[in-house]
Amino acid sequence: MSLFVERRRPALSPDFLLRVLLAWVMIAALLIVTNLASIIAYRFPDPDDALRLVQVRDLLGGQAWFDLAQHRVDAPGGGVPMHWSRLVDLPVAIVILSLGWLIGQGPAEMVALIGIPILTFGIALLLAGRIAWRLVGDEATGFACLAMALSVPVIEQLRPMRIDHHGWQIVCALAVMNALMARRPIVGGWVAGVVMAVWLSISIEGLPLAAAVCGVTALRWLRDRHDSAWFVGTLQGLAAGSAVLFALTRGMADLSQYCDAISPAHIAAFAVGACGATIMARVEPLPRFAQISGFAIVAGVTFATLQGIAPGCAGDAFASLDPLVRTFWYNGVSEGLPIWHQSPGVALQIAIPPLVALVACLQLAARNGAWLRRWWLDYAIILFAAFVVSLFVARAGAVAGALAAVPLGWRIREWLRSARNLRRPGRRVLVMAGIALALLPAMPLTLLSMARPAQASSGDSPILASSCRIGTSADLLNELPRGEIFAPFDIGPELLLETDHTVVATSHHRGADAMRMTIAAFLGTPDAAHEALKARGTRYVAVCPSLNEPTRYRAAAPTGFMAHLLEGRAPAWLEPVSVPGDGQLNIWRIRD
């Protein structure tokens, strides 16, 4: 007999909404308090968040909806076309437009910077809690919300000031899982497909998970011929949704085949897959062998379509990066690297909760029968896919952590029930330790580091780009004649945000030529840098000496241009500009 509630239980009952609301209010308050220093200092978690606000400002300032280029990055080269989506700009722009006339542009932006991530977290809690509420029960719903709140990878993407797209990826993943609970396969399939289209429009990093979801819907068809609409509806929704979103957010002016964003090649591949699935459904019933062969043919033709139209998009989207850019930029972005390149604490936070949740999914499947057994097996497949992706791309651990929250909520509830019934204190302590490990897997390392004697920090330790407060010098910078600033990638977005100047490059790979020039100039001799900058017409050089990026250049080229700047030996063709503030920002004017 099943130990769990029937899924037809009202999914948005007042009791459920109150539980999630209370959890969200407490989590939101905690997030604001713990991030208050960053909020007051106007310090962004990542340079991408600053550039996202620049993009929104450009949109509100009159830049065309379909024009996604950053025209103040590599301006002599025509600007840098961005692979970002207007879907993420939209909520930020709406908040600023709605409140700007009432409280002013600056305060309205701050409301958006704090409110949008908090609201996104609330939506994620609602979606995760809805699954737990319908399938596991009241108490587990609260624990699922707790698991979300204690997941470091999730918190990192949903904290105040984090307005980039990663939080919306979490929402899309949970929305897809909600769609897979639908009673009617065609409705659930279409909703899942359209949500995945939104997800991929926001970030093509969701493609492996989209493939896993399509695989699960195909498995449902294999289990029961009456469930063919899951597979068909999902592919139809994905194809139609991708085409509509491309038209609404990209337009028809640029039909180039990009590998880092949904392009016509991807839409064509999705359409071929949807047509193949529809044809398969029309000729049912098929023998089991023919059915499996049909799935293989649909997958193969879909892949062949993408490969035929855009060959490079079937593999690594960054395979064509210049070796110098790959070495000094791509391989230095920690969140984009595999889990084995992370610190032990970060690796544990990414890996342990999904692994515990996977075991919980299998236990849930074993304790149930009929549709609930199948559903939890499906959940385990998608969670496993998310976990595997997170092993190779650390930032994908946020999606895996969010999906893990639901089965973790059930597992924690069961552990607590067992602890209440245990008479031996030792066993009860072990159970509580298991709960702590599932929710806070890095705590043993934290306690160990606290127990060790303090050591001097290494000069190579990473420092956030935002610790260099450009805003404190914005007035001075804006008084200088407008021109191009040559600076490390990580401070480029904040220079764009705080000033009217342009920059040579930021850490966005479509501007790879300017990125390569920047790296080569910092690594090369001062004379070579002078020639390169003079050819561009660059007017200023800016460096934050305390940040990690400049120290990497100095370590790689101890006699290079950056090393001279960091050692206070600026060449004669640079004239220092007196900069107020904390001394972390150095500015030079290039002499004529």
Side-chain angles (χ1 to χ4, degrees):
M1 179 178 176
S2 173
L3 300 176
F4 302 96
V5 296
E6 213 281 336
R7 72 169 169 176
R8 290 181 178 83
R9 178 185 193 185
L12 295 175
S13 67
D15 188 19
F16 162 68
L17 292 174
L18 181 60
R19 286 172 182 265
V20 173
L21 178 62
L22 290 175
W24 176 61
V25 169
M26 289 188 291
I27 294 169
L30 185 61
L31 285 174
I32 291 173
V33 169
T34 54
N35 288 275
L36 192 58
S38 296
I39 293 170
I40 294 173
Y42 207 65
R43 187 166 60 242
F44 290 91
D46 189 273
D48 280 356
D49 300 301
L51 196 62
R52 178 69 67 178
L53 184 55
V54 172
Q55 181 158 302
V56 173
R57 283 183 180 178
D58 291 344
L59 176 64
L60 297 179
Q63 186 165 326
W65 173 264
F66 294 122
D67 181 6
L68 295 169
Q70 283 298 327
H71 296 287
R72 290 196 293 143
V73 181
D74 190 21
V80 175
M82 299 297 291
H83 62 286
W84 290 354
S85 172
R86 286 293 190 204
L87 293 178
V88 181
D89 298 341
L90 202 54
V92 181
I94 289 173
V95 171
I96 296 173
L97 271 178
S98 301
L99 298 178
W101 66 274
L102 182 63
I103 61 177
Q105 175 90 2
E109 287 182 353
M110 183 56 73
V111 171
L113 291 172
I114 299 172
I116 294 297
I118 295 296
L119 177 62
T120 310
F121 205 139
I123 297 171
L125 283 178
L126 185 69
L127 292 169
R130 182 176 183 269
I131 300 172
W133 179 264
R134 300 194 79 179
L135 303 185
V136 189
D138 303 12
E139 193 177 7
T141 301
F143 289 128
C145 293
L146 176 64
M148 284 269 287
L150 293 179
S151 173
V152 173
V154 172
I155 290 294
E156 282 296 314
Q157 306 301 345
L158 291 169
R159 55 191 284 201
M161 311 288 286
R162 188 73 166 123
I163 58 170
D164 201 20
H165 60 269
H166 300 290
W168 293 112
Q169 291 178 253
I170 294 171
V171 168
C172 288
L174 292 169
V176 168
M177 298 312 301
N178 274 264
L180 294 179
M181 287 196 304
R183 297 184 183 92
R184 297 178 58 194
I186 189 63
V187 174
W190 262 87
V191 172
V194 170
V195 171
M196 287 194 301
V198 174
W199 187 353
L200 296 178
S201 179
I202 291 172
S203 173
I204 205 166
E205 287 182 355
L207 200 53
L209 267 294
V213 171
C214 291
V216 163
T217 59
L219 181 61
R220 289 185 174 186
W221 188 352
L222 281 173
R223 291 180 188 144
D224 188 342
R225 294 188 184 276
H226 295 95
D227 283 343
S228 62
W230 277 112
F231 185 65
V232 176
T234 298
L235 287 179
Q236 289 176 343
L238 176 59
S242 296
V244 171
L245 286 170
F246 184 88
L248 292 177
T249 61
R250 295 279 171 177
M252 299 301 166
D254 184 4
L255 299 179
S256 302
Q257 308 299 339
Y258 295 112
C259 297
D260 57 4
I262 292 297
S263 300
H266 299 94
I267 297 172
F270 297 156
V272 167
C275 290
T278 304
I279 293 171
M280 280 185 63
R282 292 292 178 87
V283 297
E284 274 278 67
L286 291 168
R288 183 56 57 89
F289 175 76
Q291 195 178 18
I292 295 174
S293 299
F295 288 138
I297 292 171
V298 169
V301 173
T302 299
F303 180 82
T305 301
L306 180 60
Q307 179 73 7
I309 300 176
C313 295
D316 182 6
F318 296 96
S320 61
L321 267 184
D322 180 273
L324 192 66
V325 177
R326 177 177 285 274
T327 299
F328 284 93
W329 170 66
Y330 186 72
N331 292 340
V333 181
S334 178
E335 66 174 18
L337 297 178
I339 193 173
W340 51 88
H341 288 296
Q342 311 299 321
S343 67
V346 171
L348 289 173
Q349 289 163 353
I350 293 172
I352 296 300
L355 286 174
V356 175
L358 275 170
V359 174
C361 282
L362 297 177
Q363 292 174 325
L364 283 162
R367 296 189 181 198
N368 287 278
W371 67 269
L372 258 181
R373 176 184 178 87
R374 295 191 296 271
W375 198 89
W376 284 114
L377 289 174
D378 292 346
Y379 200 104
I381 292 170
I382 296 172
L383 176 57
F384 178 74
F387 170 69
V388 171
V389 172
S390 72
L391 296 180
F392 293 94
V393 182
R395 62 172 165 261
V399 170
L403 293 177
V406 176
L408 275 178
W410 169 80
R411 182 67 273 173
I412 294 167
R413 186 194 71 181
E414 295 300 295
W415 275 335
L416 286 175
R417 287 181 175 178
S418 299
R420 294 188 195 111
N421 296 326
L422 290 174
R423 296 182 178 180
R424 296 184 180 180
R427 291 186 177 181
R428 189 175 300 171
V429 170
L430 288 176
V431 171
M432 300 308 294
I435 296 174
L437 181 63
L439 293 176
L440 301 167
M443 182 169 285
L445 289 179
T446 302
L447 295 175
L448 182 62
S449 65
M450 291 173 62
R452 289 177 177 175
Q455 299 178 355
S457 61
S458 169
D460 293 331
S461 60
I463 304 172
L464 289 176
S466 54
S467 66
C468 181
R469 300 308 310 133
I470 293 169
T472 59
S473 306
D475 290 341
L476 170 69
L477 291 171
N478 283 320
E479 289 176 1
L480 297 173
R482 188 176 301 181
E484 183 177 72
I485 301 176
F486 179 64
F489 302 140
D490 284 346
I491 65 172
E494 197 166 356
L495 286 168
L496 296 177
L497 182 70
E498 299 287 358
T499 77
D500 296 325
H501 299 287
T502 64
V503 299
V504 175
T506 58
S507 55
H508 297 91
H509 60 274
R510 288 194 185 178
D513 290 342
M515 292 177 72
R516 189 192 189 287
M517 176 265 162
T518 299
I519 297 169
F522 278 133
L523 295 177
T525 65
D527 289 341
H530 187 204
E531 290 300 318
L533 296 177
K534 186 166 63 173
R536 292 182 61 90
T538 306
R539 302 190 69 166
Y540 308 101
V541 174
V543 172
C544 290
S546 62
L547 304 186
N548 198 39
E549 185 183 350
T551 62
R552 288 202 306 270
Y553 296 141
R554 179 173 59 180
T559 60
F561 179 41
M562 177 61 82
H564 279 72
L565 296 179
L566 295 182
E567 293 165 8
R569 296 186 292 115
W573 51 271
L574 289 180
E575 176 188 351
V577 176
S578 179
V579 179
D582 54 12
Q584 291 195 33
L585 175 66
N586 294 332
I587 297 282
W588 295 268
R589 181 186 291 106
I590 298 177
R591 300 180 191 272
D592 296 331

